């Protein structure tokens, strides 16, 4: 028997009417000017982040060979995560008017500053956006170290079985490895890129790693450099994971036989996180996940203003719109992960008795 996150009840709407439910919303957002590019805002934000990121690395250099350098792993990880958010926005064409500009921004912020293949990330992330939380189509809920549905637990024995039984309590510790995991997966995927993409991305990645390790090995001893690498990537993975985890984990997983239109497919599988400017900054605007999924090309800075329009539209249609606190979102996500592992824990307990 397969369990999924509970499906939300939605009113039966004729197919021809469902197809038009998103169009009025899009027109309303456009009339409000929320689809317009915010290039000046992005220019200021990107410039400030680059200043702070470079200043953090300059501080690592200026402190000299000392264990105090490890404290600087915090701002380095923080502003590297900020760079990854810019790469995310560039991948969604939110910033400029030309595709070439977005490609350059992706390469700079993903490959050069973060050391991750943007080609791999964008391909995976676009599949997620097309079918969020769909077990057969969304790579973010595919079988991996963690599983998201009881049907994915079959055959998981030994160490993988232990992980599944305890995945809820292991989730945050595992995020400490996510920074390295993103880079390794991106590097491994280069072989799947076209020769031109492989050359461009590989070259920029080579520059990143040459600069990265050169600075570290000149600024500190090899042992401190190794510790700095692991601390920085642990914080990077934790920050990214905490920004992405509240969005869909524990939300409904569409049955393959149920056909939702674009609006319902995006709204019913997404969760917003309440908060103010600090939450917006720390989560890179991903706390407005519903609005982002409905119109991925909408500039991040416009999502807050779009929220009341989207929520009112969903209320008119009778479509559930979920917004919760940050802690509440983690509680729901971890609760779902714990429930997925419950049958395996019960089976193990029965075997032990």
């Amino acid at each position: 028997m397969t369990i999924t996150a509970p499906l939300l009840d939605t009113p039966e709407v004729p197919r021809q009417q469902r197809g038009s439910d998103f169009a009025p919303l899009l027109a309303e957002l456009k009339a409000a000017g929320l689809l317009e590019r915010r290039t000046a805002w992005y220019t200021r934000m990107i410039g400030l982040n680059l200043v702070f990121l470079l200043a953090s690395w300059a501080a690592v250099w200026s402190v000299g060979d000392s264990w105090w350098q490890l404290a600087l792993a915090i701002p380095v990880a923080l502003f590297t995560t900020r760079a990854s958010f810019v790469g995310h926005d560039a991948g969604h064409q939110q910033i400029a008017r030309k595709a070439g500009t977005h490609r350059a921004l992706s390469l700079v912020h993903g490959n050069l500053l973060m050391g991750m293949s943007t080609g791999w990330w964008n391909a995976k992330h676009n599949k997620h956006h097309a079918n969020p939380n769909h077990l057969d189509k969304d790579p973010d809920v595919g079988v991996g170290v963690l599983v998201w549905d009881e049907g994915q637990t079959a055959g998981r024995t030994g160490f993988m079985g232990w992980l599944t039984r305890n995945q809820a309590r292991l989730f945050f510790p595992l995020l400490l490895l996510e920074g390295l995991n993103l880079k390794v997966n991106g590097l491994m995927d280069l072989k799947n890129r076209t020769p031109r993409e492989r050359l461009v991305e590989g070259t920029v990645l080579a520059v990143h790693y040459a600069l990265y390790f050169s600075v570290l090995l000149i600024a500190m001893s090899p042992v401190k450099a190794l510790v700095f690498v692991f601390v920085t990537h642990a914080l990077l993975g934790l920050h990214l994971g905490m920004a992405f985890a509240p969005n869909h984990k524990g939300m409904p997983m569409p049955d393959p036989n149920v056909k939702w239109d674009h609006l319902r497919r995006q709204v019913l599988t997404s969760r917003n996180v309440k908060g103010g400017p600090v939450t917006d900054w720390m989560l890179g605007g991903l706390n407005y996940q519903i609005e982002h999924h409905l119109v991925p090309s909408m500039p991040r800075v416009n999502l807050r203003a779009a929220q009341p329009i989207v929520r009112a539209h969903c209320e008119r249609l009778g479509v559930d719109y979920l917004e919760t606190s940050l802690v509440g979102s983690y509680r729901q996500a971890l609760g779902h992960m714990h429930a997925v592992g419950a049958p395996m824990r019960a089976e193990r307990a029965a075997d032990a008795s």
Side-chain angles (χ1 to χ4, degrees):
M1 177 180 177
T2 300
I3 63 171
T4 64
L7 290 176
L8 302 178
D9 293 330
T10 57
E12 285 299 320
V13 181
R15 182 181 298 273
Q16 61 272 22
Q17 184 179 341
R18 284 194 171 199
S20 66
D21 285 344
F22 177 63
L25 173 61
L26 188 63
E28 191 172 358
L29 293 171
K30 185 176 182 179
L34 297 176
L35 305 187
E36 296 295 325
R37 296 288 182 260
R38 296 290 298 276
T39 306
W41 181 87
Y42 268 109
T43 300
R44 291 192 300 270
M45 185 268 288
I46 290 171
L48 283 172
N49 189 66
L50 287 175
V51 168
F52 285 117
L53 180 57
L54 292 175
S56 300
W57 277 110
V60 171
W61 185 285
S62 63
V63 165
D65 189 5
S66 166
W67 286 108
W68 285 107
Q69 289 171 313
L70 293 182
L72 293 167
I74 298 174
V76 167
L78 177 63
F79 293 109
T80 300
T81 304
R82 304 297 305 165
S84 74
F85 288 150
V86 175
H88 167 268
D89 293 358
H92 284 300
Q93 312 287 299
Q94 293 181 13
I95 303 170
R97 297 186 181 280
K98 296 182 179 179
T101 304
H102 285 117
R103 174 61 171 159
L105 287 169
S106 294
L107 286 170
V108 169
H109 288 84
N111 294 56
L112 183 61
L113 295 179
M114 189 182 175
M116 183 189 74
S117 167
T118 56
W120 165 76
W121 165 260
N122 286 333
K124 181 177 81 73
H125 194 58
N126 288 338
K127 291 179 181 178
H128 157 71
H129 265 266
N131 293 281
N133 266 17
H134 193 294
L135 286 171
D136 297 329
K137 299 178 181 179
D138 183 357
D140 287 356
V141 291
V143 177
V145 174
L146 304 175
V147 294
W148 312 101
D149 180 87
E150 186 187 333
Q152 297 174 327
T153 65
R156 291 176 74 90
T157 58
F159 179 66
M160 297 306 292
W162 176 81
L163 282 177
T164 301
R165 291 192 299 273
N166 299 281
Q167 62 179 7
R169 63 173 60 94
L170 292 172
F171 178 70
F172 286 111
L174 286 172
L175 287 181
L176 299 176
L177 301 175
E178 184 61 16
L180 291 171
N181 180 56
L182 290 171
K183 293 188 174 184
V184 170
N185 280 321
L187 289 171
M188 292 176 61
D189 188 69
L190 282 177
K191 65 180 183 296
N192 299 322
R193 305 289 101 200
T194 65
R196 177 178 174 78
E197 290 175 330
R198 189 159 55 243
L199 175 62
V200 173
E201 288 212 40
T203 299
V204 180
L205 286 170
V207 172
H208 164 84
Y209 287 110
L211 290 173
Y212 183 72
F213 288 113
S214 294
V215 170
L216 288 180
L217 293 175
I218 293 174
M220 60 187 76
S221 69
V223 172
K224 293 188 185 72
L226 185 62
V227 176
F228 189 93
V229 168
F230 280 108
V231 171
T232 304
H233 284 80
L235 294 174
L236 173 67
L238 183 64
H239 190 170
L240 284 172
M242 292 181 71
F244 281 95
N247 303 337
H248 304 280
K249 307 310 181 191
M251 293 300 290
M253 291 180 164
D255 187 290
N257 297 319
V258 174
K259 302 299 181 182
W260 284 344
D261 64 314
H262 174 74
L263 185 139
R264 288 164 180 79
R265 183 167 60 248
Q266 304 301 339
V267 174
L268 296 178
T269 59
S270 303
R271 175 197 296 113
N272 275 17
V273 175
K274 299 176 184 177
V278 174
T279 303
D280 293 359
W281 193 85
M282 289 299 296
L283 300 186
L286 296 175
N287 45 313
Y288 303 105
Q289 190 68 190
I290 293 173
E291 289 71 27
H292 170 58
H293 259 256
L294 283 170
V295 190
S297 62
M298 187 189 304
R300 181 204 314 177
V301 68
N302 290 346
L303 294 174
R304 174 180 282 272
Q307 184 182 32
I309 297 174
V310 173
R311 181 160 45 198
H313 186 73
C314 289
E315 288 176 355
R316 287 194 294 270
L317 294 174
V319 175
D320 291 288
Y321 179 107
L322 179 61
E323 183 181 37
T324 185
S325 67
L326 184 61
V327 173
S329 69
Y330 293 137
R331 184 180 294 115
Q332 292 174 19
L334 295 177
H336 172 66
M337 295 170 65
H338 188 69
V340 170
M344 293 187 67
R345 292 193 299 275
E347 181 180 349
R348 185 172 180 83
D351 291 342
S353 63

